[in-house]
Each structure stands twice: as structure tokens, then as C-alpha cells.
Amino acid sequence: MSKPGKTALILTGGGARAAYQVGVLQALQLIRRDAGEKRRASPFRIICGTSAGALNAMALASRADHYDLALRAMVEVWRDFRTEQVYRSDSFGVIQSGAKWLTLFSLGWAVARWRRARPRSLLDNEPLRELLPHLFDMERLPELMAKGHIDAVAVTGSSYTSGEHVTYYDSAEPIEPWTRSQRLAVRERLTLDHLMASSAIPFVFPAVKLDVQGRPHYLGDGSMRQAAPISPAIHLGADRILVVGAGRLHEPQETRPMATEYPNLAQIAGHAMSSIFLDALAVDIERMQRVNSTLRLLTP
């Protein structure tokens, strides 16, 4: 059993909607101040992130010794965020990438040279890779763990190689990696590649090559095949969990717009993307609530 009071923070995927997570964390900090909390360090002993949430998670974890400073930095980044900081949005870059895909889908498949040099993604997210080291210092994590500011950090990815969902984590104390159906955990030093893999939106950004149990795998967005998004925090020792998602979990059914016409391509695409980024969290929360309700009934 974990020590009482070990609180975990889970930041889910959702693309640009991850900016809302920063607003929630700001509001929580105001509540802490109003309650008379004086500690400078982060209130979260365990931080887990997926996709865009993995970037926010690392921004918090890398400054776990100064929570206010971490939040201020995150606010500044999201307030001034531009598309060119994430992917090449100049005309030449977009046209070059689009031309490769058009060539592949027309005659490129029949030409050996194009089969060897096939495009890997719709957009080039190299600007994001160049930006992240300027936003936070991941090299601080071992020191912060050694000094007791944080217990564990985890980011997730989905393996195109094996079809499994992978949680990469680092922890202050030895925690045995876990394996479940279609998902597993790997303990290792977290790097920029882990963040790029976790936030690699399918088709849009390229997969990233990482090791999984000693074998090379290509991983993409951690929201894919994430059947149990709360599970890593529990495995890492949390007994209290705060989840900041980007979906609409408690919206009344009557307030949702109901389309009566045949769905267009945008609606179908949106539905498919929601199944990737949002639906698993709601199901996992319901599952956890049922388990907790059952345990309360069994408690003497």
C-alpha cells in the first residue's frame, strides 16, 4: 500500500484543448492559497501525461520544486502558442509534404524509389522538438526525485509495432513494471523522444522509434488504445488521483446537438478522433467509481 496522501495528477490528450488543463491547475493553485497553503513544491507526488497532456506533465514535473514557477511558465507558453512552433506551417513546407503524399497515392506506389522514401506523416513537427528543450529541463528529474520533490513521472505511447499501449515511467523508488492485456510498462529515463512519441497524432505527425523490453518499436500518440488511462497512476502508488481531461463527461444528454441528416466526412472524422482522445477516460472513471463503491460496501 502507498503512503497516505500520495496524490497523482493525470493530464490526458486532446490536442490544443490541453491549454484548458493549465487553467484548471491555475484555479487549483488559487484554492490552495485561499486555504493557507504555504508550500512552494508541487502538491502532486505522481504526474502522468498522455499526448499533449504529456507535455504539460513534463513541464510540471521538471519544476516540481517550484509549482508557481512551473504554472507561470506554462501559462506564458500556451498564451502565445502558434502553429509554426508545433509544425512547419510555411507554404513551402506544407506543399512539400502534401506533394509527397499525392505522389504516393497516385503513381508513387509503383515506383521503387518512392516506396523506399515514402512520407511518414502529413506534417513535419520538428519545430516542436526544437522548442521543448527551451521550455523545460528534463535532466532535472533525477535530482528532483532524489530530493523528494516528486515520486514518479509517466508518459504513454501506442506501439504501431506490437499494437500494445506502453507506459514509460521513472520513479524515485524501484517500482516493478506491470503487464496487462494489450498494455505494459517500461521503467527508464524519460527523454524528449518519449514526449514526441506520446504527442505524435496519427497520420499528422511521424512515429518515434523507442525500445520496448529491449526491442525497437515505433510509437505514436499515447491516446490510441489507451484502455485504462488511470491505471499508471495507481501502479505508481497513488491513493488519490486528480484527472484533468478535455472531454465532456457530465454534460446533460438533452443539451447535446442531435444531427438528423446523414453524417458528413467532418462528423465521421470527429467521431473517430473522439474515440481516440476522449472516450477511454470516461469509461475508466466509471470503472473506478464502481470498484470504489463495491469496496465501500465490503468495508466493515
Side-chain angles (χ1 to χ4, degrees):
M1 296 294 291
S2 61
K3 296 179 181 179
K6 187 173 287 190
T7 304
L9 173 67
I10 298 177
L11 300 176
T12 68
R17 282 177 289 186
Y20 296 132
Q21 296 172 348
V22 182
V24 172
L25 295 173
Q26 273 191 303
L28 288 174
Q29 182 65 348
L30 292 176
I31 294 173
R32 293 179 72 223
R33 288 177 183 171
D34 291 342
E37 178 61 63
K38 302 294 184 182
R39 288 180 299 174
R40 191 176 71 171
S42 170
F44 305 108
R45 306 297 305 174
I46 299 164
I47 301 179
C48 306
T50 296
S51 192
L55 308 184
N56 284 338
M58 190 56 63
L60 283 176
S62 62
R63 292 189 176 97
D65 55 338
H66 203 310
Y67 190 63
D68 268 339
L69 183 62
L71 282 180
R72 285 200 297 269
M74 293 169 69
V75 169
E76 290 178 6
V77 170
W78 280 105
R79 180 180 291 155
D80 299 324
F81 223 34
R82 301 182 302 276
T83 56
E84 57 265 28
Q85 293 177 293
V86 180
Y87 58 85
R88 287 192 61 185
S89 58
D90 59 285
S91 300
F92 178 76
V94 173
I95 292 173
Q96 184 183 43
S97 178
K100 289 181 179 179
W101 281 98
L102 288 174
T103 303
L104 180 67
F105 286 141
S106 55
L107 297 177
W109 61 271
V111 182
R113 181 174 67 87
W114 276 99
R115 288 202 301 269
R116 290 194 300 268
R118 60 185 182 273
R120 297 189 172 189
S121 62
L122 184 61
L123 297 174
D124 178 6
N125 62 345
E126 191 61 26
L128 180 62
R129 178 181 286 274
E130 296 173 357
L131 173 68
L132 292 180
H134 299 287
L135 302 183
F136 43 73
D137 184 7
M138 299 179 66
E139 299 296 325
R140 297 191 69 220
L141 282 179
E143 177 187 353
L144 292 170
M145 290 181 184
K147 291 183 177 180
H149 293 296
I150 191 169
D151 292 330
V153 184
V155 299
T156 64
S158 185
S159 173
Y160 293 116
T161 305
S162 66
E164 295 172 306
H165 189 265
V166 185
T167 297
Y168 290 95
Y169 70 96
D170 197 3
S171 57
E173 300 294 333
I175 297 176
E176 191 69 20
W178 58 92
T179 301
R180 298 293 185 270
S181 176
Q182 295 299 308
R183 52 191 173 96
L184 56 87
V186 176
R187 186 188 182 194
E188 64 182 29
R189 183 85 168 265
L190 298 179
T191 66
L192 183 59
D193 281 340
H194 294 96
L195 298 183
M196 296 301 294
S198 185
S199 58
I201 301 173
F203 302 110
V204 180
F205 297 142
V208 179
K209 187 177 181 180
L210 291 169
D211 280 347
V212 177
Q213 297 179 335
R215 296 183 178 181
H217 283 230
Y218 284 94
L219 285 94
D221 198 295
S223 296
M224 296 186 293
R225 294 198 170 190
Q226 190 178 33
I230 300 176
S231 174
I234 296 174
H235 281 288
L236 293 173
D239 52 21
R240 295 184 298 185
I241 300 173
L242 172 65
V243 182
V244 184
R248 300 176 295 183
L249 300 183
H250 302 293
E251 183 181 13
Q253 186 70 29
E254 59 271 13
T255 64
R256 299 180 184 179
M258 303 294 289
T260 57
E261 299 178 353
Y262 189 85
N264 55 40
L265 289 179
Q267 288 174 304
I268 295 173
H271 183 75
M273 294 300 284
S274 291
S275 68
I276 293 176
F277 290 111
L278 305 177
D279 292 348
L281 175 61
V283 173
D284 205 24
I285 289 176
E286 289 181 354
R287 183 187 302 118
M288 185 183 67
Q289 290 172 337
R290 287 197 302 270
V291 170
N292 286 341
S293 297
T294 302
L295 291 175
R296 281 194 293 269
L297 293 174
L298 297 175
T299 302

PDB file of all heavy atoms in Angstrom, residues 60-79:
ATOM      1  N   LEU A  60       5.373  20.450 -15.542  1.00  0.00           N
ATOM      2  CA  LEU A  60       5.156  20.479 -14.095  1.00  0.00           C
ATOM      3  C   LEU A  60       6.213  19.668 -13.357  1.00  0.00           C
ATOM      4  O   LEU A  60       6.763  20.111 -12.344  1.00  0.00           O
ATOM      5  CB  LEU A  60       3.772  19.924 -13.762  1.00  0.00           C
ATOM      6  CG  LEU A  60       2.563  20.822 -13.994  1.00  0.00           C
ATOM      7  CD1 LEU A  60       1.284  20.056 -13.689  1.00  0.00           C
ATOM      8  CD2 LEU A  60       2.643  22.074 -13.130  1.00  0.00           C
ATOM      9  N   ALA A  61       6.489  18.471 -13.859  1.00  0.00           N
ATOM     10  CA  ALA A  61       7.418  17.577 -13.164  1.00  0.00           C
ATOM     11  C   ALA A  61       8.828  18.153 -13.114  1.00  0.00           C
ATOM     12  O   ALA A  61       9.530  18.007 -12.109  1.00  0.00           O
ATOM     13  CB  ALA A  61       7.431  16.214 -13.848  1.00  0.00           C
ATOM     14  N   SER A  62       9.252  18.805 -14.184  1.00  0.00           N
ATOM     15  CA  SER A  62      10.619  19.324 -14.234  1.00  0.00           C
ATOM     16  C   SER A  62      10.818  20.537 -13.332  1.00  0.00           C
ATOM     17  O   SER A  62      11.950  20.971 -13.112  1.00  0.00           O
ATOM     18  CB  SER A  62      10.990  19.687 -15.675  1.00  0.00           C
ATOM     19  OG  SER A  62      10.150  20.715 -16.168  1.00  0.00           O
ATOM     20  N   ARG A  63       9.716  21.082 -12.814  1.00  0.00           N
ATOM     21  CA  ARG A  63       9.796  22.176 -11.836  1.00  0.00           C
ATOM     22  C   ARG A  63       8.983  21.814 -10.592  1.00  0.00           C
ATOM     23  O   ARG A  63       8.308  22.658 -10.007  1.00  0.00           O
ATOM     24  CB  ARG A  63       9.266  23.479 -12.440  1.00  0.00           C
ATOM     25  CG  ARG A  63      10.134  24.062 -13.550  1.00  0.00           C
ATOM     26  CD  ARG A  63       9.640  25.449 -13.930  1.00  0.00           C
ATOM     27  NE  ARG A  63      10.484  26.083 -14.927  1.00  0.00           N
ATOM     28  CZ  ARG A  63      10.233  26.080 -16.236  1.00  0.00           C
ATOM     29  NH1 ARG A  63       9.161  25.450 -16.693  1.00  0.00           N
ATOM     30  NH2 ARG A  63      11.036  26.685 -17.088  1.00  0.00           N
ATOM     31  N   ALA A  64       9.056  20.572 -10.193  1.00  0.00           N
ATOM     32  CA  ALA A  64       8.266  20.104  -9.051  1.00  0.00           C
ATOM     33  C   ALA A  64       8.655  20.797  -7.754  1.00  0.00           C
ATOM     34  O   ALA A  64       7.895  20.782  -6.784  1.00  0.00           O
ATOM     35  CB  ALA A  64       8.420  18.589  -8.894  1.00  0.00           C
ATOM     36  N   ASP A  65       9.826  21.410  -7.715  1.00  0.00           N
ATOM     37  CA  ASP A  65      10.263  22.114  -6.508  1.00  0.00           C
ATOM     38  C   ASP A  65       9.719  23.534  -6.431  1.00  0.00           C
ATOM     39  O   ASP A  65       9.882  24.206  -5.407  1.00  0.00           O
ATOM     40  CB  ASP A  65      11.791  22.141  -6.435  1.00  0.00           C
ATOM     41  CG  ASP A  65      12.426  22.738  -7.686  1.00  0.00           C
ATOM     42  OD1 ASP A  65      11.765  22.754  -8.751  1.00  0.00           O
ATOM     43  OD2 ASP A  65      13.587  23.174  -7.612  1.00  0.00           O
ATOM     44  N   HIS A  66       9.080  23.999  -7.509  1.00  0.00           N
ATOM     45  CA  HIS A  66       8.533  25.362  -7.511  1.00  0.00           C
ATOM     46  C   HIS A  66       7.280  25.375  -8.385  1.00  0.00           C
ATOM     47  O   HIS A  66       7.329  25.685  -9.568  1.00  0.00           O
ATOM     48  CB  HIS A  66       9.565  26.353  -8.035  1.00  0.00           C
ATOM     49  CG  HIS A  66       9.325  27.765  -7.585  1.00  0.00           C
ATOM     50  ND1 HIS A  66       8.095  28.389  -7.708  1.00  0.00           N
ATOM     51  CD2 HIS A  66      10.150  28.675  -7.002  1.00  0.00           C
ATOM     52  CE1 HIS A  66       8.177  29.618  -7.238  1.00  0.00           C
ATOM     53  NE2 HIS A  66       9.411  29.816  -6.794  1.00  0.00           N
ATOM     54  N   TYR A  67       6.154  25.054  -7.775  1.00  0.00           N
ATOM     55  CA  TYR A  67       4.898  24.881  -8.503  1.00  0.00           C
ATOM     56  C   TYR A  67       4.432  26.178  -9.168  1.00  0.00           C
ATOM     57  O   TYR A  67       3.990  26.176 -10.319  1.00  0.00           O
ATOM     58  CB  TYR A  67       3.841  24.369  -7.525  1.00  0.00           C
ATOM     59  CG  TYR A  67       2.552  23.923  -8.159  1.00  0.00           C
ATOM     60  CD1 TYR A  67       2.524  22.854  -9.048  1.00  0.00           C
ATOM     61  CD2 TYR A  67       1.350  24.555  -7.848  1.00  0.00           C
ATOM     62  CE1 TYR A  67       1.337  22.433  -9.616  1.00  0.00           C
ATOM     63  CE2 TYR A  67       0.160  24.134  -8.412  1.00  0.00           C
ATOM     64  CZ  TYR A  67       0.159  23.076  -9.297  1.00  0.00           C
ATOM     65  OH  TYR A  67      -1.018  22.660  -9.862  1.00  0.00           O
ATOM     66  N   ASP A  68       4.541  27.297  -8.467  1.00  0.00           N
ATOM     67  CA  ASP A  68       4.124  28.584  -9.037  1.00  0.00           C
ATOM     68  C   ASP A  68       4.918  28.922 -10.290  1.00  0.00           C
ATOM     69  O   ASP A  68       4.363  29.384 -11.293  1.00  0.00           O
ATOM     70  CB  ASP A  68       4.296  29.704  -8.003  1.00  0.00           C
ATOM     71  CG  ASP A  68       3.030  29.937  -7.195  1.00  0.00           C
ATOM     72  OD1 ASP A  68       1.954  29.551  -7.676  1.00  0.00           O
ATOM     73  OD2 ASP A  68       3.120  30.488  -6.088  1.00  0.00           O
ATOM     74  N   LEU A  69       6.219  28.709 -10.223  1.00  0.00           N
ATOM     75  CA  LEU A  69       7.075  29.000 -11.367  1.00  0.00           C
ATOM     76  C   LEU A  69       6.704  28.129 -12.559  1.00  0.00           C
ATOM     77  O   LEU A  69       6.661  28.600 -13.702  1.00  0.00           O
ATOM     78  CB  LEU A  69       8.540  28.779 -10.988  1.00  0.00           C
ATOM     79  CG  LEU A  69       9.580  29.103 -12.065  1.00  0.00           C
ATOM     80  CD1 LEU A  69       9.520  30.569 -12.440  1.00  0.00           C
ATOM     81  CD2 LEU A  69      10.979  28.726 -11.579  1.00  0.00           C
ATOM     82  N   ALA A  70       6.404  26.862 -12.293  1.00  0.00           N
ATOM     83  CA  ALA A  70       6.004  25.954 -13.367  1.00  0.00           C
ATOM     84  C   ALA A  70       4.714  26.424 -14.028  1.00  0.00           C
ATOM     85  O   ALA A  70       4.600  26.438 -15.260  1.00  0.00           O
ATOM     86  CB  ALA A  70       5.834  24.540 -12.814  1.00  0.00           C
ATOM     87  N   LEU A  71       3.738  26.826 -13.220  1.00  0.00           N
ATOM     88  CA  LEU A  71       2.465  27.280 -13.775  1.00  0.00           C
ATOM     89  C   LEU A  71       2.626  28.559 -14.588  1.00  0.00           C
ATOM     90  O   LEU A  71       2.037  28.701 -15.663  1.00  0.00           O
ATOM     91  CB  LEU A  71       1.457  27.506 -12.649  1.00  0.00           C
ATOM     92  CG  LEU A  71       0.793  26.257 -12.067  1.00  0.00           C
ATOM     93  CD1 LEU A  71      -0.178  26.649 -10.966  1.00  0.00           C
ATOM     94  CD2 LEU A  71       0.067  25.469 -13.138  1.00  0.00           C
ATOM     95  N   ARG A  72       3.419  29.486 -14.084  1.00  0.00           N
ATOM     96  CA  ARG A  72       3.621  30.741 -14.822  1.00  0.00           C
ATOM     97  C   ARG A  72       4.253  30.474 -16.181  1.00  0.00           C
ATOM     98  O   ARG A  72       3.864  31.074 -17.191  1.00  0.00           O
ATOM     99  CB  ARG A  72       4.488  31.699 -14.003  1.00  0.00           C
ATOM    100  CG  ARG A  72       3.767  32.346 -12.835  1.00  0.00           C
ATOM    101  CD  ARG A  72       4.493  33.603 -12.381  1.00  0.00           C
ATOM    102  NE  ARG A  72       5.831  33.311 -11.886  1.00  0.00           N
ATOM    103  CZ  ARG A  72       6.113  33.048 -10.613  1.00  0.00           C
ATOM    104  NH1 ARG A  72       5.137  33.032  -9.713  1.00  0.00           N
ATOM    105  NH2 ARG A  72       7.346  32.810 -10.234  1.00  0.00           N
ATOM    106  N   ALA A  73       5.221  29.575 -16.207  1.00  0.00           N
ATOM    107  CA  ALA A  73       5.873  29.244 -17.474  1.00  0.00           C
ATOM    108  C   ALA A  73       4.889  28.595 -18.444  1.00  0.00           C
ATOM    109  O   ALA A  73       4.888  28.899 -19.648  1.00  0.00           O
ATOM    110  CB  ALA A  73       7.058  28.314 -17.220  1.00  0.00           C
ATOM    111  N   MET A  74       4.034  27.712 -17.939  1.00  0.00           N
ATOM    112  CA  MET A  74       3.051  27.048 -18.795  1.00  0.00           C
ATOM    113  C   MET A  74       2.038  28.041 -19.351  1.00  0.00           C
ATOM    114  O   MET A  74       1.644  27.964 -20.518  1.00  0.00           O
ATOM    115  CB  MET A  74       2.344  25.946 -18.004  1.00  0.00           C
ATOM    116  CG  MET A  74       3.250  24.785 -17.633  1.00  0.00           C
ATOM    117  SD  MET A  74       2.492  23.656 -16.440  1.00  0.00           S
ATOM    118  CE  MET A  74       1.198  22.929 -17.445  1.00  0.00           C
ATOM    119  N   VAL A  75       1.612  28.986 -18.527  1.00  0.00           N
ATOM    120  CA  VAL A  75       0.659  30.000 -18.985  1.00  0.00           C
ATOM    121  C   VAL A  75       1.265  30.827 -20.112  1.00  0.00           C
ATOM    122  O   VAL A  75       0.617  31.097 -21.134  1.00  0.00           O
ATOM    123  CB  VAL A  75       0.231  30.906 -17.816  1.00  0.00           C
ATOM    124  CG1 VAL A  75      -0.540  32.116 -18.335  1.00  0.00           C
ATOM    125  CG2 VAL A  75      -0.619  30.130 -16.824  1.00  0.00           C
ATOM    126  N   GLU A  76       2.506  31.231 -19.949  1.00  0.00           N
ATOM    127  CA  GLU A  76       3.163  32.040 -20.977  1.00  0.00           C
ATOM    128  C   GLU A  76       3.277  31.281 -22.294  1.00  0.00           C
ATOM    129  O   GLU A  76       3.073  31.846 -23.372  1.00  0.00           O
ATOM    130  CB  GLU A  76       4.549  32.462 -20.484  1.00  0.00           C
ATOM    131  CG  GLU A  76       4.515  33.479 -19.352  1.00  0.00           C
ATOM    132  CD  GLU A  76       5.905  33.829 -18.857  1.00  0.00           C
ATOM    133  OE1 GLU A  76       6.884  33.356 -19.481  1.00  0.00           O
ATOM    134  OE2 GLU A  76       6.018  34.561 -17.858  1.00  0.00           O
ATOM    135  N   VAL A  77       3.595  29.998 -22.203  1.00  0.00           N
ATOM    136  CA  VAL A  77       3.745  29.196 -23.422  1.00  0.00           C
ATOM    137  C   VAL A  77       2.418  29.062 -24.151  1.00  0.00           C
ATOM    138  O   VAL A  77       2.312  29.333 -25.354  1.00  0.00           O
ATOM    139  CB  VAL A  77       4.315  27.801 -23.081  1.00  0.00           C
ATOM    140  CG1 VAL A  77       4.237  26.885 -24.298  1.00  0.00           C
ATOM    141  CG2 VAL A  77       5.754  27.921 -22.613  1.00  0.00           C
ATOM    142  N   TRP A  78       1.367  28.646 -23.442  1.00  0.00           N
ATOM    143  CA  TRP A  78       0.083  28.413 -24.093  1.00  0.00           C
ATOM    144  C   TRP A  78      -0.569  29.715 -24.557  1.00  0.00           C
ATOM    145  O   TRP A  78      -1.285  29.735 -25.562  1.00  0.00           O
ATOM    146  CB  TRP A  78      -0.856  27.667 -23.148  1.00  0.00           C
ATOM    147  CG  TRP A  78      -0.591  26.196 -23.096  1.00  0.00           C
ATOM    148  CD1 TRP A  78       0.010  25.499 -22.096  1.00  0.00           C
ATOM    149  CD2 TRP A  78      -0.906  25.233 -24.110  1.00  0.00           C
ATOM    150  NE1 TRP A  78       0.088  24.160 -22.413  1.00  0.00           N
ATOM    151  CE2 TRP A  78      -0.473  23.973 -23.646  1.00  0.00           C
ATOM    152  CE3 TRP A  78      -1.516  25.316 -25.362  1.00  0.00           C
ATOM    153  CZ2 TRP A  78      -0.631  22.808 -24.386  1.00  0.00           C
ATOM    154  CZ3 TRP A  78      -1.677  24.153 -26.104  1.00  0.00           C
ATOM    155  CH2 TRP A  78      -1.239  22.921 -25.620  1.00  0.00           C
ATOM    156  N   ARG A  79      -0.323  30.798 -23.858  1.00  0.00           N
ATOM    157  CA  ARG A  79      -0.925  32.075 -24.236  1.00  0.00           C
ATOM    158  C   ARG A  79      -0.403  32.553 -25.589  1.00  0.00           C
ATOM    159  O   ARG A  79      -1.142  33.153 -26.379  1.00  0.00           O
ATOM    160  CB  ARG A  79      -0.634  33.116 -23.157  1.00  0.00           C
ATOM    161  CG  ARG A  79      -1.226  34.495 -23.440  1.00  0.00           C
ATOM    162  CD  ARG A  79      -0.872  35.438 -22.306  1.00  0.00           C
ATOM    163  NE  ARG A  79      -1.567  35.061 -21.078  1.00  0.00           N
ATOM    164  CZ  ARG A  79      -1.130  35.354 -19.856  1.00  0.00           C
ATOM    165  NH1 ARG A  79       0.021  35.987 -19.705  1.00  0.00           N
ATOM    166  NH2 ARG A  79      -1.835  35.003 -18.795  1.00  0.00           N
TER     167      ARG A  79
END
